[in-house]
Amino acid sequence: MAAIPARKAAARRVSRNEAAVEHQICFVGDSLVAGIGDETALGWSGRLVARQAAVGHPVTGYNLGIRGNTSAQILARCVNEVELRRSPRRPTRVVLSMGVNDTTHVDGAPRVPLAESCANLTAVLDAVAGDPVLVVGPPAVADDAQNDRIRELTGRYLELCRGRGVPYVEVFHVLECHPVWRQQVLEGDGAHPRSEGYQALYELVAPTWDRWLGASPRGGEELP
Protein backbone atom coordinates (compact mmCIF):
# COMPACT_ATOMS: atom_id res chain seq x y z
CA MET A 1 0.00 0.00 0.00
CA ALA A 2 2.87 2.36 0.67
CA ALA A 3 3.91 2.13 -2.99
CA ILE A 4 0.71 3.84 -4.15
CA PRO A 5 1.35 7.20 -2.44
CA ALA A 6 4.97 6.95 -3.57
CA ARG A 7 3.83 6.59 -7.19
CA LYS A 8 1.43 9.48 -6.70
CA ALA A 9 4.20 11.63 -5.26
CA ALA A 10 6.42 10.75 -8.21
CA ALA A 11 3.63 11.66 -10.60
CA ARG A 12 3.23 15.01 -8.87
CA ARG A 13 6.96 15.65 -9.19
CA VAL A 14 6.87 14.86 -12.91
CA SER A 15 3.87 17.12 -13.35
CA ARG A 16 5.62 19.99 -11.60
CA ASN A 17 8.78 19.47 -13.62
CA GLU A 18 6.83 19.41 -16.87
CA ALA A 19 5.14 22.66 -15.94
CA ALA A 20 8.44 24.17 -14.87
CA VAL A 21 10.08 23.89 -18.30
CA GLU A 22 7.12 25.34 -20.15
CA HIS A 23 8.37 28.93 -20.20
CA GLN A 24 11.35 30.84 -21.45
CA ILE A 25 11.70 34.47 -20.44
CA CYS A 26 13.39 37.20 -22.49
CA PHE A 27 14.48 40.09 -20.26
CA VAL A 28 14.78 43.05 -22.64
CA GLY A 29 16.18 46.40 -21.61
CA ASP A 30 19.19 48.39 -20.51
CA SER A 31 22.09 48.13 -18.04
CA LEU A 32 19.73 47.80 -15.08
CA VAL A 33 18.28 44.68 -16.70
CA ALA A 34 21.83 43.46 -17.29
CA GLY A 35 22.61 43.96 -13.59
CA ILE A 36 25.59 46.28 -14.03
CA GLY A 37 27.28 46.94 -10.68
CA ASP A 38 26.10 43.73 -8.99
CA GLU A 39 29.13 41.81 -7.76
CA THR A 40 27.06 38.61 -7.77
CA ALA A 41 26.25 39.11 -11.49
CA LEU A 42 22.58 38.35 -10.81
CA GLY A 43 20.86 41.73 -10.87
CA TRP A 44 17.10 41.64 -10.38
CA SER A 45 16.40 39.54 -13.46
CA GLY A 46 18.88 36.83 -12.45
CA ARG A 47 17.29 36.72 -9.02
CA LEU A 48 13.88 36.10 -10.59
CA VAL A 49 15.27 33.20 -12.61
CA ALA A 50 16.96 31.82 -9.50
CA ARG A 51 13.66 32.20 -7.62
CA GLN A 52 11.97 29.85 -10.08
CA ALA A 53 14.70 27.25 -9.77
CA ALA A 54 14.56 27.43 -5.99
CA VAL A 55 10.84 26.60 -5.91
CA GLY A 56 11.20 23.76 -8.41
CA HIS A 57 9.76 25.60 -11.42
CA PRO A 58 12.84 26.60 -13.44
CA VAL A 59 12.55 28.80 -16.51
CA THR A 60 14.99 29.46 -19.33
CA GLY A 61 16.05 33.07 -18.87
CA TYR A 62 17.70 35.20 -21.55
CA ASN A 63 19.20 38.50 -20.37
CA LEU A 64 18.95 40.95 -23.27
CA GLY A 65 19.96 44.08 -21.38
CA ILE A 66 22.40 46.41 -23.17
CA ARG A 67 24.15 49.18 -21.29
CA GLY A 68 23.19 52.68 -22.43
CA ASN A 69 20.21 51.59 -24.53
CA THR A 70 17.33 53.99 -24.87
CA SER A 71 13.76 52.99 -25.64
CA ALA A 72 14.43 53.75 -29.32
CA GLN A 73 17.37 51.36 -29.41
CA ILE A 74 15.41 48.68 -27.59
CA LEU A 75 12.54 49.06 -30.04
CA ALA A 76 14.94 48.62 -32.95
CA ARG A 77 16.25 45.27 -31.71
CA CYS A 78 13.67 43.65 -29.46
CA VAL A 79 11.65 41.70 -32.03
CA ASN A 80 14.67 40.18 -33.71
CA GLU A 81 16.31 39.23 -30.43
CA VAL A 82 13.17 37.60 -29.06
CA GLU A 83 12.53 35.74 -32.32
CA LEU A 84 16.10 34.37 -32.35
CA ARG A 85 15.44 32.79 -28.96
CA ARG A 86 11.97 31.46 -29.64
CA SER A 87 11.57 27.71 -29.21
CA PRO A 88 8.87 25.36 -30.56
CA ARG A 89 9.13 23.43 -27.28
CA ARG A 90 8.47 26.28 -24.85
CA PRO A 91 6.23 29.36 -24.99
CA THR A 92 8.03 32.67 -24.72
CA ARG A 93 7.33 35.50 -22.30
CA VAL A 94 8.90 38.96 -22.31
CA VAL A 95 9.95 41.14 -19.38
CA LEU A 96 10.62 44.69 -20.52
CA SER A 97 12.33 47.50 -18.61
CA MET A 98 13.65 50.79 -19.99
CA GLY A 99 13.48 54.55 -19.64
CA VAL A 100 16.35 55.74 -17.44
CA ASN A 101 18.62 56.36 -20.43
CA ASP A 102 15.82 58.23 -22.19
CA THR A 103 15.83 60.79 -19.36
CA THR A 104 19.61 61.36 -19.40
CA HIS A 105 20.42 64.87 -20.60
CA VAL A 106 22.79 65.33 -23.55
CA ASP A 107 23.48 68.91 -24.66
CA GLY A 108 20.72 70.14 -22.39
CA ALA A 109 17.96 67.86 -23.62
CA PRO A 110 16.81 64.31 -22.84
CA ARG A 111 18.21 61.63 -25.11
CA VAL A 112 14.62 60.66 -25.91
CA PRO A 113 11.77 63.16 -25.37
CA LEU A 114 8.90 62.05 -23.14
CA ALA A 115 6.32 61.69 -25.92
CA GLU A 116 8.72 59.69 -28.07
CA SER A 117 9.63 57.44 -25.15
CA CYS A 118 5.94 56.65 -24.62
CA ALA A 119 5.50 56.03 -28.33
CA ASN A 120 8.45 53.65 -28.26
CA LEU A 121 6.96 51.67 -25.38
CA THR A 122 3.67 51.46 -27.29
CA ALA A 123 5.51 50.21 -30.37
CA VAL A 124 7.43 47.59 -28.40
CA LEU A 125 4.22 46.31 -26.80
CA ASP A 126 2.61 46.15 -30.24
CA ALA A 127 5.61 44.26 -31.61
CA VAL A 128 5.55 41.57 -28.91
CA ALA A 129 1.78 41.50 -28.46
CA GLY A 130 1.67 37.78 -29.23
CA ASP A 131 3.57 36.99 -26.03
CA PRO A 132 2.69 37.68 -22.39
CA VAL A 133 4.58 40.81 -21.30
CA LEU A 134 5.54 42.22 -17.92
CA VAL A 135 6.87 45.80 -17.78
CA VAL A 136 9.12 46.96 -14.95
CA GLY A 137 9.34 50.72 -14.62
CA PRO A 138 12.56 52.74 -14.50
CA PRO A 139 14.14 53.08 -11.05
CA ALA A 140 15.53 56.20 -9.37
CA VAL A 141 19.09 57.47 -9.88
CA ALA A 142 21.31 59.80 -7.85
CA ASP A 143 20.49 62.97 -9.78
CA ASP A 144 17.45 64.87 -8.49
CA ALA A 145 16.73 66.64 -11.77
CA GLN A 146 16.82 63.37 -13.69
CA ASN A 147 14.62 61.78 -11.05
CA ASP A 148 11.98 64.42 -11.77
CA ARG A 149 11.99 63.29 -15.40
CA ILE A 150 11.92 59.61 -14.43
CA ARG A 151 8.99 60.26 -12.08
CA GLU A 152 6.98 61.75 -14.93
CA LEU A 153 8.00 59.00 -17.33
CA THR A 154 7.08 56.14 -14.99
CA GLY A 155 3.67 57.70 -14.44
CA ARG A 156 3.07 57.86 -18.19
CA TYR A 157 4.31 54.30 -18.64
CA LEU A 158 1.97 53.12 -15.90
CA GLU A 159 -1.05 54.76 -17.54
CA LEU A 160 -0.11 53.33 -20.91
CA CYS A 161 0.27 49.79 -19.60
CA ARG A 162 -2.95 49.96 -17.60
CA GLY A 163 -4.80 51.04 -20.72
CA ARG A 164 -3.53 47.95 -22.54
CA GLY A 165 -4.04 45.47 -19.70
CA VAL A 166 -0.28 44.89 -19.38
CA PRO A 167 1.08 44.34 -15.84
CA TYR A 168 3.39 47.16 -14.76
CA VAL A 169 5.65 47.24 -11.70
CA GLU A 170 6.18 50.83 -10.57
CA VAL A 171 9.47 50.81 -8.64
CA PHE A 172 10.58 54.44 -8.78
CA HIS A 173 8.72 55.84 -5.78
CA VAL A 174 9.91 53.13 -3.40
CA LEU A 175 13.51 53.14 -4.60
CA GLU A 176 13.78 56.93 -4.59
CA CYS A 177 13.43 56.76 -0.79
CA HIS A 178 14.95 53.32 -0.20
CA PRO A 179 18.03 53.78 2.02
CA VAL A 180 20.01 50.86 0.60
CA TRP A 181 19.22 51.67 -3.02
CA ARG A 182 19.99 55.36 -2.56
CA GLN A 183 23.24 54.75 -0.72
CA GLN A 184 24.58 52.17 -3.15
CA VAL A 185 23.66 54.23 -6.21
CA LEU A 186 25.39 57.26 -4.66
CA GLU A 187 28.47 55.20 -3.83
CA GLY A 188 28.54 53.77 -7.34
CA ASP A 189 28.23 55.55 -10.67
CA GLY A 190 25.01 57.34 -9.86
CA ALA A 191 22.72 54.83 -11.55
CA HIS A 192 23.69 51.28 -10.58
CA PRO A 193 23.67 49.73 -7.10
CA ARG A 194 25.48 46.69 -5.78
CA SER A 195 23.85 43.40 -4.92
CA GLU A 196 21.81 44.65 -1.96
CA GLY A 197 20.26 47.36 -4.12
CA TYR A 198 19.32 44.87 -6.81
CA GLN A 199 17.87 42.66 -4.08
CA ALA A 200 15.57 45.54 -3.12
CA LEU A 201 14.47 45.98 -6.73
CA TYR A 202 13.93 42.23 -7.10
CA GLU A 203 11.71 42.20 -4.01
CA LEU A 204 9.50 44.87 -5.58
CA VAL A 205 9.11 42.90 -8.80
CA ALA A 206 8.72 39.39 -7.35
CA PRO A 207 5.03 39.54 -6.23
CA THR A 208 3.82 40.69 -9.66
CA TRP A 209 6.18 38.22 -11.31
CA ASP A 210 4.60 35.36 -9.37
CA ARG A 211 1.09 36.39 -10.41
CA TRP A 212 2.19 37.00 -13.99
CA LEU A 213 3.61 33.51 -14.37
CA GLY A 214 0.31 32.15 -13.13
CA ALA A 215 -1.80 34.37 -15.41
CA SER A 216 -3.47 33.29 -18.62
CA PRO A 217 -1.33 33.01 -21.79
CA ARG A 218 -2.89 36.21 -23.14
CA GLY A 219 -1.00 38.38 -20.68
CA GLY A 220 -1.89 40.63 -17.76
CA GLU A 221 -5.64 41.05 -18.11
CA GLU A 222 -6.36 38.71 -15.17
CA LEU A 223 -3.94 40.37 -12.79
CA PRO A 224 -5.36 42.54 -10.02
Side-chain angles (χ1 to χ4, degrees):
M1 296 296 292
I4 294 176
R7 284 198 300 269
K8 289 182 178 179
R12 286 195 297 271
R13 285 196 295 271
V14 170
S15 176
R16 285 196 296 268
N17 288 336
E18 287 173 349
V21 298
E22 286 183 358
H23 298 103
Q24 57 182 35
I25 316 293
C26 292
F27 295 88
V28 183
D30 51 25
S31 58
L32 289 153
V33 172
I36 298 301
D38 187 346
E39 70 277 10
T40 69
L42 285 172
W44 60 269
S45 56
R47 283 173 167 80
L48 290 172
V49 174
R51 177 187 184 87
Q52 293 307 116
V55 299
H57 296 284
V59 296
T60 300
Y62 296 105
N63 192 311
L64 307 178
I66 296 181
R67 191 168 193 170
N69 260 197
T70 65
S71 61
Q73 293 168 314
I74 291 166
L75 172 61
R77 67 180 172 88
C78 68
V79 172
N80 184 55
E81 293 202 349
V82 171
E83 287 303 316
L84 286 172
R85 290 159 179 84
R86 196 175 296 282
S87 169
R89 301 179 60 186
R90 292 173 295 275
T92 298
R93 289 175 174 248
V94 177
V95 177
L96 174 68
S97 185
M98 60 189 188
V100 171
N101 291 313
D102 290 22
T103 65
T104 301
H105 265 198
V106 176
D107 297 327
R111 290 181 65 192
V112 180
L114 178 63
E116 183 180 339
S117 184
C118 293
N120 289 337
L121 175 58
T122 298
V124 172
L125 294 177
D126 286 342
V128 297
D131 300 313
V133 180
L134 170 65
V135 180
V136 177
V141 296
D143 182 84
D144 290 339
Q146 186 174 359
N147 278 338
D148 289 340
R149 298 189 291 274
I150 296 173
R151 184 182 298 105
E152 184 176 8
L153 180 61
T154 194
R156 293 284 294 275
Y157 276 6
L158 174 59
E159 291 176 4
L160 194 158
C161 288
R162 279 180 174 170
R164 298 175 65 104
V166 173
Y168 184 85
V169 186
E170 200 285 306
V171 300
F172 173 82
H173 288 88
V174 172
L175 294 180
E176 183 184 27
C177 302
H178 194 289
V180 173
W181 178 273
R182 284 180 57 86
Q183 184 64 31
Q184 293 200 342
V185 167
L186 283 168
E187 292 173 350
D189 61 5
H192 305 97
R194 298 190 304 278
S195 61
E196 293 86 356
Y198 279 109
Q199 175 70 22
L201 176 50
Y202 151 79
E203 289 173 0
L204 293 176
V205 178
T208 302
W209 162 272
D210 289 343
R211 296 195 299 272
W212 179 65
L213 284 180
S216 73
R218 294 295 299 171
E221 65 272 19
E222 294 187 356
L223 293 172

PDB file of all heavy atoms in Angstrom, residues 185-201:
ATOM      1  N   VAL A 185      23.597  53.485  -4.961  1.00  0.00           N
ATOM      2  CA  VAL A 185      23.664  54.231  -6.213  1.00  0.00           C
ATOM      3  C   VAL A 185      24.598  55.435  -6.063  1.00  0.00           C
ATOM      4  O   VAL A 185      25.403  55.736  -6.949  1.00  0.00           O
ATOM      5  CB  VAL A 185      22.253  54.670  -6.653  1.00  0.00           C
ATOM      6  CG1 VAL A 185      22.319  55.717  -7.762  1.00  0.00           C
ATOM      7  CG2 VAL A 185      21.456  53.456  -7.140  1.00  0.00           C
ATOM      8  N   LEU A 186      24.503  56.111  -4.907  1.00  0.00           N
ATOM      9  CA  LEU A 186      25.386  57.256  -4.656  1.00  0.00           C
ATOM     10  C   LEU A 186      26.848  56.831  -4.578  1.00  0.00           C
ATOM     11  O   LEU A 186      27.743  57.522  -5.069  1.00  0.00           O
ATOM     12  CB  LEU A 186      24.974  57.951  -3.356  1.00  0.00           C
ATOM     13  CG  LEU A 186      23.745  58.848  -3.418  1.00  0.00           C
ATOM     14  CD1 LEU A 186      23.289  59.223  -2.015  1.00  0.00           C
ATOM     15  CD2 LEU A 186      24.039  60.104  -4.233  1.00  0.00           C
ATOM     16  N   GLU A 187      27.098  55.687  -3.961  1.00  0.00           N
ATOM     17  CA  GLU A 187      28.467  55.198  -3.829  1.00  0.00           C
ATOM     18  C   GLU A 187      29.015  54.652  -5.138  1.00  0.00           C
ATOM     19  O   GLU A 187      30.229  54.545  -5.305  1.00  0.00           O
ATOM     20  CB  GLU A 187      28.530  54.113  -2.758  1.00  0.00           C
ATOM     21  CG  GLU A 187      28.279  54.625  -1.351  1.00  0.00           C
ATOM     22  CD  GLU A 187      28.169  53.501  -0.333  1.00  0.00           C
ATOM     23  OE1 GLU A 187      28.102  52.315  -0.737  1.00  0.00           O
ATOM     24  OE2 GLU A 187      28.161  53.811   0.873  1.00  0.00           O
ATOM     25  N   GLY A 188      28.122  54.312  -6.060  1.00  0.00           N
ATOM     26  CA  GLY A 188      28.544  53.767  -7.341  1.00  0.00           C
ATOM     27  C   GLY A 188      28.671  54.855  -8.386  1.00  0.00           C
ATOM     28  O   GLY A 188      29.243  55.922  -8.132  1.00  0.00           O
ATOM     29  N   ASP A 189      28.096  54.595  -9.558  1.00  0.00           N
ATOM     30  CA  ASP A 189      28.231  55.546 -10.670  1.00  0.00           C
ATOM     31  C   ASP A 189      27.045  56.481 -10.798  1.00  0.00           C
ATOM     32  O   ASP A 189      26.940  57.210 -11.790  1.00  0.00           O
ATOM     33  CB  ASP A 189      28.437  54.777 -11.983  1.00  0.00           C
ATOM     34  CG  ASP A 189      27.275  53.855 -12.321  1.00  0.00           C
ATOM     35  OD1 ASP A 189      26.263  53.869 -11.592  1.00  0.00           O
ATOM     36  OD2 ASP A 189      27.385  53.111 -13.310  1.00  0.00           O
ATOM     37  N   GLY A 190      26.161  56.466  -9.820  1.00  0.00           N
ATOM     38  CA  GLY A 190      25.007  57.340  -9.857  1.00  0.00           C
ATOM     39  C   GLY A 190      23.750  56.708 -10.425  1.00  0.00           C
ATOM     40  O   GLY A 190      22.681  57.323 -10.384  1.00  0.00           O
ATOM     41  N   ALA A 191      23.883  55.490 -10.945  1.00  0.00           N
ATOM     42  CA  ALA A 191      22.720  54.832 -11.547  1.00  0.00           C
ATOM     43  C   ALA A 191      22.583  53.378 -11.145  1.00  0.00           C
ATOM     44  O   ALA A 191      21.473  52.843 -11.125  1.00  0.00           O
ATOM     45  CB  ALA A 191      22.786  54.933 -13.075  1.00  0.00           C
ATOM     46  N   HIS A 192      23.715  52.726 -10.819  1.00  0.00           N
ATOM     47  CA  HIS A 192      23.690  51.278 -10.585  1.00  0.00           C
ATOM     48  C   HIS A 192      24.098  50.952  -9.145  1.00  0.00           C
ATOM     49  O   HIS A 192      25.135  51.426  -8.679  1.00  0.00           O
ATOM     50  CB  HIS A 192      24.644  50.567 -11.550  1.00  0.00           C
ATOM     51  CG  HIS A 192      24.377  50.875 -12.989  1.00  0.00           C
ATOM     52  ND1 HIS A 192      25.085  51.833 -13.680  1.00  0.00           N
ATOM     53  CD2 HIS A 192      23.470  50.353 -13.854  1.00  0.00           C
ATOM     54  CE1 HIS A 192      24.630  51.889 -14.915  1.00  0.00           C
ATOM     55  NE2 HIS A 192      23.637  51.007 -15.050  1.00  0.00           N
ATOM     56  N   PRO A 193      23.307  50.142  -8.454  1.00  0.00           N
ATOM     57  CA  PRO A 193      23.667  49.727  -7.096  1.00  0.00           C
ATOM     58  C   PRO A 193      24.522  48.471  -7.112  1.00  0.00           C
ATOM     59  O   PRO A 193      24.855  47.937  -8.166  1.00  0.00           O
ATOM     60  CB  PRO A 193      22.298  49.429  -6.478  1.00  0.00           C
ATOM     61  CG  PRO A 193      21.533  48.831  -7.621  1.00  0.00           C
ATOM     62  CD  PRO A 193      21.980  49.596  -8.858  1.00  0.00           C
ATOM     63  N   ARG A 194      24.853  48.001  -5.924  1.00  0.00           N
ATOM     64  CA  ARG A 194      25.480  46.693  -5.777  1.00  0.00           C
ATOM     65  C   ARG A 194      24.384  45.658  -5.507  1.00  0.00           C
ATOM     66  O   ARG A 194      23.217  45.916  -5.713  1.00  0.00           O
ATOM     67  CB  ARG A 194      26.520  46.743  -4.644  1.00  0.00           C
ATOM     68  CG  ARG A 194      27.655  47.739  -4.916  1.00  0.00           C
ATOM     69  CD  ARG A 194      28.790  47.602  -3.905  1.00  0.00           C
ATOM     70  NE  ARG A 194      28.342  47.749  -2.529  1.00  0.00           N
ATOM     71  CZ  ARG A 194      28.156  48.925  -1.928  1.00  0.00           C
ATOM     72  NH1 ARG A 194      28.333  50.052  -2.603  1.00  0.00           N
ATOM     73  NH2 ARG A 194      27.764  48.975  -0.669  1.00  0.00           N
ATOM     74  N   SER A 195      24.790  44.509  -5.018  1.00  0.00           N
ATOM     75  CA  SER A 195      23.845  43.395  -4.925  1.00  0.00           C
ATOM     76  C   SER A 195      22.666  43.694  -4.007  1.00  0.00           C
ATOM     77  O   SER A 195      21.527  43.314  -4.298  1.00  0.00           O
ATOM     78  CB  SER A 195      24.569  42.127  -4.457  1.00  0.00           C
ATOM     79  OG  SER A 195      25.135  42.312  -3.170  1.00  0.00           O
ATOM     80  N   GLU A 196      22.907  44.390  -2.882  1.00  0.00           N
ATOM     81  CA  GLU A 196      21.808  44.651  -1.958  1.00  0.00           C
ATOM     82  C   GLU A 196      20.753  45.569  -2.590  1.00  0.00           C
ATOM     83  O   GLU A 196      19.554  45.438  -2.323  1.00  0.00           O
ATOM     84  CB  GLU A 196      22.331  45.271  -0.666  1.00  0.00           C
ATOM     85  CG  GLU A 196      23.193  44.338   0.169  1.00  0.00           C
ATOM     86  CD  GLU A 196      24.664  44.360  -0.249  1.00  0.00           C
ATOM     87  OE1 GLU A 196      25.006  45.037  -1.246  1.00  0.00           O
ATOM     88  OE2 GLU A 196      25.473  43.702   0.436  1.00  0.00           O
ATOM     89  N   GLY A 197      21.209  46.499  -3.421  1.00  0.00           N
ATOM     90  CA  GLY A 197      20.261  47.358  -4.116  1.00  0.00           C
ATOM     91  C   GLY A 197      19.429  46.578  -5.114  1.00  0.00           C
ATOM     92  O   GLY A 197      18.200  46.771  -5.216  1.00  0.00           O
ATOM     93  N   TYR A 198      20.078  45.707  -5.865  1.00  0.00           N
ATOM     94  CA  TYR A 198      19.322  44.872  -6.808  1.00  0.00           C
ATOM     95  C   TYR A 198      18.376  43.922  -6.076  1.00  0.00           C
ATOM     96  O   TYR A 198      17.307  43.594  -6.585  1.00  0.00           O
ATOM     97  CB  TYR A 198      20.274  44.096  -7.700  1.00  0.00           C
ATOM     98  CG  TYR A 198      20.814  44.913  -8.845  1.00  0.00           C
ATOM     99  CD1 TYR A 198      22.144  45.333  -8.872  1.00  0.00           C
ATOM    100  CD2 TYR A 198      19.998  45.272  -9.913  1.00  0.00           C
ATOM    101  CE1 TYR A 198      22.641  46.086  -9.925  1.00  0.00           C
ATOM    102  CE2 TYR A 198      20.485  46.026 -10.971  1.00  0.00           C
ATOM    103  CZ  TYR A 198      21.809  46.431 -10.971  1.00  0.00           C
ATOM    104  OH  TYR A 198      22.294  47.183 -12.026  1.00  0.00           O
ATOM    105  N   GLN A 199      18.766  43.492  -4.881  1.00  0.00           N
ATOM    106  CA  GLN A 199      17.868  42.664  -4.084  1.00  0.00           C
ATOM    107  C   GLN A 199      16.593  43.441  -3.750  1.00  0.00           C
ATOM    108  O   GLN A 199      15.481  42.890  -3.805  1.00  0.00           O
ATOM    109  CB  GLN A 199      18.571  42.214  -2.797  1.00  0.00           C
ATOM    110  CG  GLN A 199      17.690  41.437  -1.818  1.00  0.00           C
ATOM    111  CD  GLN A 199      17.316  40.055  -2.300  1.00  0.00           C
ATOM    112  OE1 GLN A 199      17.985  39.479  -3.152  1.00  0.00           O
ATOM    113  NE2 GLN A 199      16.236  39.503  -1.749  1.00  0.00           N
ATOM    114  N   ALA A 200      16.737  44.712  -3.415  1.00  0.00           N
ATOM    115  CA  ALA A 200      15.575  45.544  -3.115  1.00  0.00           C
ATOM    116  C   ALA A 200      14.671  45.686  -4.329  1.00  0.00           C
ATOM    117  O   ALA A 200      13.432  45.612  -4.212  1.00  0.00           O
ATOM    118  CB  ALA A 200      16.022  46.918  -2.625  1.00  0.00           C
ATOM    119  N   LEU A 201      15.257  45.873  -5.504  1.00  0.00           N
ATOM    120  CA  LEU A 201      14.469  45.978  -6.731  1.00  0.00           C
ATOM    121  C   LEU A 201      13.781  44.649  -7.046  1.00  0.00           C
ATOM    122  O   LEU A 201      12.590  44.619  -7.398  1.00  0.00           O
ATOM    123  CB  LEU A 201      15.381  46.406  -7.884  1.00  0.00           C
ATOM    124  CG  LEU A 201      14.781  46.475  -9.285  1.00  0.00           C
ATOM    125  CD1 LEU A 201      13.490  47.267  -9.319  1.00  0.00           C
ATOM    126  CD2 LEU A 201      15.798  47.080 -10.251  1.00  0.00           C
TER     127      LEU A 201
END
